[in-house]
Amino acid sequence: MSQPSALSPQARDQALAAMRATGGGSELDVLVVGGGVTGAGTALDAVTRGLSTGLLEQRDLASGTSSRSSKLIHGGLRYLEMLDFGLVREALQERGLLLTRLAPHLVRPVSFLYPLTHRGWERPYVAAGLTLYDGMATIGALRSQGGMGLPRHKHLLRRQVARIAPDFRYETIAGAIQYWDCQVDDARLVVTLARTAATHGAHVATRVKVTGFLREGERVVGVRALDLETQEELEVRARVVVNAAGVWTDEIQEMVGGRGALHVQASKGIHLVVPRDRIRSEAGFIVRTATSVLFVIPWGRHWIIGTTDTPWDLDKAHPAASRADIDYVLEHVNAILREPLDHDDVQGVYAGLRPLLSGESEPTSRISREHTVVTPVPGLVMIAGGKLTTYRVMGKDAIDAAAHSLRTTASLTVRDSITDRVPLVGAADWETRSNQRVLLSRRSGLHVARIDHLLGRYGGLVDDLLALVAARPELASPLEGADDYLAAEVVYAVTHEGARHLDDVLTRRTRISIETFDRGVRAASEVARLMAGELDWDAARTADEIDHYRRRVEAERQSQLMLTDQEADEARVSAPDIV
């Protein structure tokens, strides 16, 4: 079961030992601070160029913005209206690469209906935009020598909309246009990126907080950090430090002396998760609002509905959704549904913060998602902005900036980025294993639907899960209170995916916290017991983890009853992190 990509507890220890050893003259070429999609993508870009690479994350992989998105890999139709053609073109090219080459096991097509509410002018106007959208995707596919991988848009009459989406109030529209984008489990993408980086030699350690920078004159030569698991202080030396801390960018800048090369504004977006049977539709759809768009997105046995776009200047680790936020989303989605949703239909709620480059006086809904890379002092590269879809370009640009410093100060030869040709772990054998799904079902004794579930989460790494089930047959059982997931997935999350706390498994390695009405409370005891066996927790530690998770859920529920952001924040932070 041991693999180079496995982010096991032992691998974390080894990564920290290697990074501590940099004080003896064997400094890293690149140290990345931040374990979201940008940081993981940056680490992968660096290590695949032949650079010795480390990554430190204060909490868990994808614990911030990168696990709380709309889970879409898309060009961003609304940026066409903002005339941001470069961003759309870039994102569509990345969408094609992810779908056809880099992560076909994680990224899958999803169709949307764009309702037309005005007769005459609107259909040709929207069609022109979607023709440009599809055309950019085709050109991007040709340039990257990949494939578009998706159908082109098509026009629908009102009666066709009624067949596809019977719960849609189709009598209020003049028809629709159906188009295709992609979706991904964002947290799983980040974990897979980190594992791929580890496969190629990157040192990855979570639950390590950067507390300051090491300096030689003006130059940054590493960081001071605190292992939050052991409270041990350490120094990690590196020729270049890349800050990919997202909404914490300003705080990192203060550590280096308050040089504000970037200013990042946090924008809160909330999403609701409701059961799939509450909205009968074969496709997702878009709802226009006064300031943005609302997506209704198919998500397995659920729908994800969001998002909002409002400024946030409170606790960044745990942004809170207020009742006003939830009411706003329900009001707008109910405007197009025959049977309105209410609060009782909401299984899960999550809130995330987008790191937007400000734009001091602009509303957050108008600030572009483009990213920026700066070098405020020698030895430090900072990257901020961007979006999930373009993580690879962000990582490339960050390491291009680092490469300039490495060439001039260390005379290193830094090769060009190759991440457009490096499949993520699990991609290689995914198609083969998908073709063998019935055979795998027979051999393992698992229902073919379970095999499909595992293939959609692990791709070719399904072999690992099936080997674990063969060695420990009791792990073939579904989790109590969350029977979409197997016990084996919890063990695997610890042994291969870097999970160290109950939160990590229930909210990111799985989506139990938003896919069950009790927010994962029933499953918590069994999941903690399974984790305890792998992490050597005693009874007291196991009980603490369960108690913390229950307090977290209750704090979130209370915050979602509050009318204002301030009240919601106060309710949410009443349950502090266990580490």
Side-chain angles (χ1 to χ4, degrees):
M1 293 295 294
S2 177
Q3 294 182 353
S5 72
L7 299 178
S8 63
Q10 296 76 24
R12 178 182 184 273
D13 293 341
Q14 291 163 6
L16 285 172
M19 286 190 270
R20 284 191 195 94
T22 59
S26 57
E27 62 189 347
L28 296 171
D29 294 324
V30 175
L31 175 65
V32 181
V33 178
V37 72
T38 305
T42 300
L44 178 58
D45 191 276
V47 76
T48 53
R49 295 196 199 198
L51 301 172
S52 59
T53 305
L55 184 150
L56 297 177
E57 162 56 40
Q58 177 177 341
R59 294 185 294 154
D60 183 30
L61 294 168
S63 58
T65 303
S66 296
S67 60
R68 305 174 189 180
S69 72
S70 296
K71 314 195 189 313
L72 292 176
I73 298 293
H74 65 141
L77 262 183
R78 73 187 182 102
Y79 299 125
L80 285 182
E81 284 192 302
M82 297 167 65
L83 304 181
D84 205 341
F85 300 119
L87 177 62
V88 176
R89 182 174 60 249
E90 180 179 83
L92 287 171
Q93 181 168 325
E94 293 304 307
R95 184 191 74 177
L97 282 171
L98 283 161
L99 177 64
T100 63
R101 183 186 300 170
L102 304 183
H105 57 311
L106 301 178
V107 177
R108 49 192 57 87
V110 58
S111 69
F112 291 97
L113 302 181
Y114 192 111
L116 303 172
T117 56
H118 299 89
R119 294 187 181 277
W121 65 269
E122 191 178 20
R123 187 179 289 274
Y125 173 75
V126 175
L130 284 167
T131 298
L132 180 60
Y133 198 69
D134 289 345
M136 286 180 173
T138 301
I139 293 170
L142 292 172
R143 285 179 176 171
S144 64
Q145 299 179 342
M148 178 177 170
L150 296 172
R152 296 182 179 276
H153 73 275
K154 62 181 181 180
H155 291 259
L156 301 176
L157 301 174
R158 196 160 59 182
R159 65 176 180 273
Q160 292 172 301
V161 174
R163 285 197 294 269
I164 293 173
D167 280 350
F168 193 93
R169 293 178 59 189
Y170 52 83
E171 68 276 4
T172 65
I173 62 173
I177 299 180
Q178 187 174 21
Y179 77 98
W180 277 259
D181 258 318
C182 293
Q183 67 179 174
V184 71
D185 183 329
D186 46 9
R188 181 145 296 280
L189 174 64
V190 175
V191 169
T192 305
L193 282 166
R195 290 190 63 182
T196 308
T199 297
H200 296 292
H203 307 298
V204 179
T206 60
R207 307 290 176 177
V208 181
K209 179 180 181 178
V210 171
T211 56
F213 288 95
L214 303 176
R215 307 288 287 269
E216 290 181 358
E218 278 293 294
R219 186 172 188 81
V220 169
V221 295
V223 302
R224 290 186 298 276
L226 177 67
D227 182 344
L228 296 177
E229 300 280 358
T230 64
Q231 297 303 303
E232 181 182 353
E233 295 181 350
L234 65 150
E235 293 186 351
V236 182
R237 297 183 68 85
R239 292 186 171 95
V240 177
V241 176
V242 178
N243 170 54
V247 294
W248 283 272
T249 295
D250 289 4
E251 285 82 349
I252 296 291
Q253 286 184 143
E254 289 177 9
M255 286 185 195
V256 83
R259 301 183 183 215
L262 293 174
H263 179 62
V264 172
Q265 184 172 343
S267 169
K268 183 179 70 168
I270 79 130
H271 295 79
L272 311 183
V273 182
V274 302
R276 190 68 177 264
D277 61 8
R278 284 297 288 111
I279 305 173
R280 291 178 300 158
S281 179
E282 298 171 14
F285 37 91
I286 290 177
V287 182
R288 296 299 298 261
T289 70
T291 59
S292 187
V293 294
L294 198 71
F295 284 96
V296 182
I297 307 163
W299 181 256
R301 297 202 298 172
H302 305 84
W303 295 96
I304 292 176
I305 307 171
T307 179
T308 57
D309 204 343
T310 55
W312 178 266
D313 59 4
L314 301 168
D315 182 68
K316 293 178 179 177
H318 304 295
S322 67
R323 187 178 181 90
D325 292 326
I326 297 170
D327 287 343
Y328 173 89
V329 174
L330 289 176
E331 176 187 354
H332 281 87
V333 75
N334 284 340
I336 51 92
L337 293 179
R338 290 191 174 280
E339 295 291 333
L341 303 172
D342 62 27
H343 286 262
D344 291 338
D345 294 310
V346 177
Q347 273 190 311
V349 181
Y350 63 93
L353 300 178
R354 303 178 192 88
L356 305 182
L357 293 169
S358 160
E360 297 286 346
S361 62
E362 286 187 276
T364 57
S365 61
R366 297 294 299 174
I367 300 175
S368 173
R369 270 31 171 188
E370 287 187 276
H371 64 273
T372 295
V373 179
V374 297
T375 305
V377 295
L380 176 65
V381 172
M382 307 192 75
I383 182 164
K387 52 188 280 188
L388 182 74
T389 305
T390 56
Y391 79 85
R392 192 195 66 81
V393 179
M394 295 175 69
K396 172 184 177 298
D397 289 350
I399 298 306
D400 282 346
H404 176 74
S405 176
L406 291 169
R407 290 188 187 106
T408 56
T409 61
S411 299
L412 286 183
T413 299
V414 182
R415 295 173 174 81
D416 291 339
S417 175
I418 62 168
T419 49
D420 61 337
R421 304 187 298 279
V422 178
L424 305 189
V425 290
D429 295 323
W430 170 68
E431 284 190 274
T432 300
R433 294 295 177 267
S434 296
N435 290 339
Q436 297 172 337
R437 55 195 285 274
V438 175
L439 179 61
L440 294 175
S441 173
R442 290 174 184 160
R443 287 177 176 172
S444 65
L446 296 174
H447 192 281
V448 70
R450 292 285 186 193
I451 299 296
D452 289 340
H453 161 86
L454 296 175
L455 284 165
R457 283 169 51 74
Y458 306 97
L461 297 176
V462 67
D463 293 349
D464 289 356
L465 276 296
L466 297 181
L468 185 57
V469 167
R472 299 168 60 181
E474 72 278 8
L475 298 181
S477 301
L479 295 173
E480 182 182 357
D483 60 6
D484 282 349
Y485 298 93
L486 299 179
E489 295 180 78
V490 175
V491 172
Y492 191 78
V494 175
T495 59
H496 285 69
E497 297 180 340
R500 299 187 63 80
H501 294 276
L502 189 54
D503 276 2
D504 300 348
V505 173
L506 291 174
T507 64
R508 287 174 290 277
R509 303 307 183 278
T510 71
R511 292 303 189 167
I512 292 170
S513 67
I514 59 172
E515 293 176 347
T516 57
F517 274 110
D518 70 354
R519 312 283 174 94
V521 169
R522 277 185 62 202
S525 294
E526 182 181 1
V527 171
R529 177 183 58 79
L530 289 164
M531 295 183 71
E534 306 302 321
L535 292 167
D536 297 324
W537 292 347
D538 59 19
R541 172 64 186 276
T542 304
D544 283 347
E545 291 277 344
I546 296 168
D547 180 64
H548 165 262
Y549 185 77
R550 289 174 174 166
R551 289 175 184 271
R552 169 205 159 122
V553 169
E554 182 56 30
E556 287 181 344
R557 288 189 184 279
Q558 289 301 313
S559 71
Q560 291 154 19
L561 298 175
M562 303 301 172
L563 291 179
T564 68
D565 280 352
Q566 183 70 48
E567 292 170 317
D569 177 70
E570 290 173 1
R572 176 59 187 89
V573 299
S574 66
D577 287 343
I578 199 166
V579 172

